[in-house]
Amino acid sequence: MWISIAPNGIYYSYALKTIDQGGFHTSYHKDGSVWRTRNGVKEKIAQHQPLKSFKGKYYLWNMVLSNVIGQVGAAPLYKMKKLDSAIHIDARPYKKKRVGIGIRVILFEPKQYSMLKGIEPTAKEIHVYPGFEPWFAIIVYES
């Protein structure tokens, strides 16, 4: 999974061995438009709040990795632009329990930690990133 914060918005996708990436990614632009791009072809899929005046919270993305993590092959090498490493998930505890890993990304108003209320019972890890407005959190949970 990767997330890139750019001047014009947030770009995100994943790298899985079983999926041909072909430049596949989704982006939430500063004007609130959400786009999906695959093989250079862009398609507008939604319109939400502009990032500058963002209020409340928005579930940007959710993905679940297989509950047979030990059987999943390594992801292909990431070959797109260089990104900072923001999060590392140690899959060993999940593998030992034979459960999957869920990853959810939430956009929320800066300093409004109350927006995260209610996710604590299922979350195993919560990573908050206040260096961008709106703030975003990456929540890791068992699936």
Side-chain angles (χ1 to χ4, degrees):
M1 166 180 165
W2 58 267
I3 299 172
S4 177
I5 305 298
N8 60 334
I10 306 165
Y11 294 76
Y12 50 98
S13 191
Y14 47 83
L16 294 175
K17 196 175 207 173
T18 57
I19 297 174
D20 174 24
Q21 289 301 290
F24 174 76
H25 67 271
T26 306
S27 52
Y28 188 127
H29 291 249
K30 63 183 178 182
D31 67 356
S33 61
V34 180
W35 296 80
R36 181 175 299 132
T37 303
R38 174 168 281 176
N39 296 321
V41 177
K42 297 177 185 178
E43 171 190 14
K44 184 174 180 180
I45 57 173
Q47 183 67 44
H48 297 295
Q49 300 178 61
L51 292 174
K52 193 169 217 134
S53 58
F54 190 89
K55 299 290 182 207
K57 71 179 171 184
Y58 174 73
Y59 290 87
L60 185 67
W61 189 23
N62 189 65
M63 72 181 292
V64 177
L65 303 175
S66 173
N67 64 351
V68 288
I69 292 170
Q71 298 172 14
V72 175
L77 292 176
Y78 179 83
K79 296 179 182 175
M80 293 175 275
K81 74 176 193 168
K82 183 178 178 181
L83 297 173
D84 294 331
S85 176
I87 183 175
H88 176 83
I89 300 169
D90 184 352
R92 291 174 294 187
Y94 301 95
K95 182 178 172 184
K96 188 174 185 178
K97 290 173 133 182
R98 295 185 178 271
V99 296
I101 299 173
I103 302 168
R104 181 173 292 132
V105 181
I106 300 174
L107 298 178
F108 66 103
E109 288 180 62
K111 301 179 184 175
Q112 298 300 317
Y113 294 101
S114 62
M115 298 280 171
L116 300 176
K117 188 172 176 114
I119 63 170
E120 304 93 340
T122 58
K124 296 299 178 191
E125 300 176 34
I126 302 172
H127 304 265
V128 176
Y129 297 89
F132 174 78
E133 288 194 20
W135 285 10
F136 70 97
I138 298 174
I139 294 97
V140 180
Y141 60 94
E142 291 179 355
S143 67

